[in-house]
Amino acid sequence: MSVADSPAPAIDRKREQRGWTWYDWANQVFPTSVVTVFLSGYLTAVAKEAAREDIARNGPDACATSSLQQCDISLFGAYFPAGSLWGYLLSIATVVQVVVLPVMGAIADRTQNKRRMLGGLAFTGAAATTALALVGGSDWHLGVALFILGNICYGASVVVYYAFLPEIATPDERDAVSSRGWAFGYLGGGLALAVQLGLFIGHDAIGLSEGAAVRVGFVLSGLWWAGFTLIPLARLKRHQEPHGGETGASVITGGFRELRQTIRQARLFPLTLAFLGTYLIYTDGIATVANVSAQYGRDELKLDETVLIATILIVQFVAFGGAVLHGRLARHWGAKRTIMVSLLVWILVIGAAFFVQAGRQFQFYALAVGIGLVLGGTNALSRSLFSQMIPPGREAQYFSLYEVGERSTSWLGPLVFAGVGQATGSFRLAIISLVVFFVVGFVLMIFVPIRKAIAASGNPLPAKV
């Protein structure tokens, strides 16, 4: 059921919509501050300390059983360099999400306790994030466990959060609501990161070590996530009746039954899956550009860390305006056409990245502005457009496929970037190679019949698509 099936008064919808956008504000601190900026370097440093202690305790032959030339830490008998920990951890966390998210989505749809699930997942994830402050010395194992828990809760809470969108917004409202949420998320993530970076850069002035400043940042991230989650929880409501009557542990088995039914029925909606496949191609390009920009700036353009940190903040704040702009354009052009224009802008931005000169920080800042303009808006409109194609009553499950697909295909872009860089010895050629994701996405989008896909799902057509 969507709001189009059982219309709520506009004033009630607006109240829920405003509350809903606050969860974008609340959760963005995890992928931005924790994952992108602070945890990778901190956890690697803790792992290297563990390696030094191991060598001091057991001698340089402690890793003799490993075929690796440099063997620093071990897990379940496998030895690997401490510097590789973060990469392996991201891969493991992604695999765990691929397994967990579809089941969580099915449970959310079957029980329709989405508000309660959102709160439980958000507060657990926030607690795990706050507990990262306990990771110190050589205790990298605790950091691994807490990050995996926090990452699961973040991904699952986003699935449940997205599933509210068709319930709180009419088809004609959805693009604007999704864009505002995405914009609000970038603004919140940018403000939180600015505070934490100020704390990190000025740690000596307030008597903190660098590590202590990072740990305080983890506490602030957890409190930010949990505190601002209270706003959507106070405003969101239940809109549908449960699909099943299970209680307690039987909810999990009911969730698996729901998931099996959805998988069997998914083939009846090939156009929805066609859009999802198209989205997964161009969003892989988007994620890769965002993730490798710092490496490109550091290794190819020879920019220092202060420039790279400033660039992260520029992208965050410009993305706020970019998402709002995309929402307004979609109101006049429709979401599909706006996304296609956005993909063309992505192609131009990546082309410009090829010509940025080494050491020219203001050229790099201009590139960050271009990325920010299309970063949030492309994803925001993709989210709202996909919500139009989901069969009513299965919102969380289809959004779990949306999230799982995004994570399970996110290896291809980095592989292309790394492979081209290794083969050519040039990160310029590596960055320009990413154009292929946006070109292919643009061409495929031309052939996805959006109106037909929405009608086939049983949802009403918005005025503009």
Side-chain angles (χ1 to χ4, degrees):
M1 182 191 302
S2 68
V3 292
D5 301 314
S6 180
I11 189 170
D12 291 341
R13 289 204 312 276
K14 296 298 182 185
R15 185 175 187 276
E16 279 197 89
Q17 290 166 9
R18 287 192 293 269
W20 181 83
T21 60
W22 277 97
Y23 192 65
D24 260 315
W25 173 287
N27 72 50
Q28 187 64 29
V29 71
F30 182 79
T32 301
S33 295
V34 177
V35 179
T36 302
V37 179
F38 290 112
L39 186 58
S40 59
Y42 183 77
L43 196 57
T44 299
V46 172
K48 288 180 177 178
E49 178 61 28
R52 285 190 288 268
E53 290 184 6
D54 187 54
I55 291 173
R57 184 169 55 251
N58 300 316
D61 297 329
C63 296
T65 57
S66 172
S67 61
L68 294 173
Q69 291 183 346
Q70 182 186 8
C71 162
D72 292 331
I73 56 177
S74 65
L75 185 65
F76 301 124
Y79 291 92
F80 52 92
S84 300
L85 173 62
W86 184 246
Y88 288 133
L89 179 55
L90 288 178
S91 297
I92 292 170
T94 298
V95 171
V96 172
Q97 280 198 336
V98 167
V99 174
V100 171
L101 294 195
V103 179
M104 295 299 292
I107 292 173
D109 282 336
R110 191 161 185 86
T111 64
Q112 289 300 318
N113 285 328
K114 289 199 279 283
R115 179 178 170 276
R116 185 182 302 173
M117 287 183 67
L118 179 64
L121 291 165
F123 293 144
T124 303
T129 301
T130 303
L132 286 169
L134 302 175
V135 177
S138 61
D139 194 11
W140 60 271
H141 299 85
L142 176 61
V144 167
L146 290 172
F147 172 71
I148 290 176
L149 176 60
N151 200 53
I152 290 171
C153 291
Y154 167 75
S157 70
V158 165
V159 167
V160 177
Y161 167 66
Y162 285 3
F164 274 105
L165 182 57
E167 298 181 340
I168 64 172
T170 66
D172 290 322
E173 294 171 338
R174 227 165 281 177
D175 291 338
V177 172
S178 182
S179 296
R180 282 199 302 271
W182 216 283
F184 216 41
Y186 277 113
L187 182 60
L191 288 174
L193 180 59
V195 170
Q196 291 163 326
L197 286 173
L199 177 69
F200 179 76
I201 293 170
H203 62 87
D204 286 333
I206 56 177
L208 291 176
S209 67
E210 193 172 276
V214 173
R215 291 194 294 274
V216 171
F218 292 147
V219 173
L220 292 176
S221 294
L223 294 176
W224 181 285
W225 187 359
F228 286 110
T229 296
L230 294 172
I231 300 174
L233 293 181
R235 296 189 177 184
L236 292 171
K237 305 172 184 176
R238 174 186 280 188
H239 291 267
Q240 302 182 47
E241 292 301 315
H243 296 185
E246 298 88 359
T247 58
S250 63
V251 167
I252 298 175
T253 58
F256 276 103
R257 285 196 299 272
E258 186 85 9
L259 180 60
R260 283 196 298 270
Q261 184 178 355
T262 296
I263 292 173
R264 285 196 300 268
Q265 293 180 347
R267 67 178 184 274
L268 301 176
F269 305 99
L271 298 180
T272 300
L273 299 180
F275 173 79
L276 179 59
T278 301
Y279 164 75
L280 295 180
I281 292 171
Y282 66 73
T283 196
D284 194 7
I286 292 172
T288 304
V289 171
N291 291 335
V292 305
S293 292
Q295 181 182 4
Y296 184 66
R298 183 186 303 110
D299 296 339
E300 183 68 33
L301 304 181
K302 311 304 179 185
L303 300 171
D304 61 37
E305 290 298 322
T306 56
V307 173
L308 300 178
I309 289 172
T311 301
I312 293 173
L313 291 174
I314 289 171
V315 170
Q316 287 291 129
F317 289 117
V318 173
F320 166 77
V324 172
L325 176 63
H326 277 69
R328 292 178 178 175
L329 292 175
R331 189 164 62 240
H332 298 289
W333 296 349
K336 176 180 176 177
R337 187 177 300 176
T338 305
I339 289 172
M340 293 177 70
V341 170
S342 185
L343 294 177
L344 290 176
V345 175
W346 272 109
I347 293 170
L348 294 174
V349 168
I350 295 172
F354 180 84
F355 295 102
V356 173
Q357 296 173 299
R360 299 296 181 91
Q361 67 186 63
F362 290 105
Q363 292 183 9
F364 195 63
Y365 291 154
L367 191 66
V369 170
I371 291 174
L373 283 174
V374 287
L375 179 63
T378 314
N379 285 323
L381 293 183
S382 299
R383 174 171 70 181
S384 61
L385 193 55
F386 184 68
S387 75
Q388 311 269 14
M389 308 177 196
I390 298 174
R394 303 198 179 276
E395 292 83 6
Q397 292 169 81
Y398 274 81
F399 270 120
S400 72
L401 297 178
Y402 185 88
E403 287 293 296
V404 163
E406 182 178 331
R407 284 158 174 75
S408 60
T409 59
S410 60
W411 55 271
L412 184 57
L415 180 64
V416 169
F417 180 84
V420 172
Q422 179 179 348
T424 65
S426 170
F427 282 123
R428 290 187 185 275
L429 294 176
I431 200 77
I432 201 70
S433 69
L434 299 178
V435 165
V436 68
F437 291 92
F438 301 99
V439 171
V440 172
F442 179 86
V443 172
L444 291 178
M445 183 67 83
I446 294 174
F447 296 102
V448 177
I450 300 298
R451 284 186 167 274
K452 190 178 293 185
I454 295 173
S457 68
N459 291 313
L461 284 169
K464 292 277 189 179
V465 292

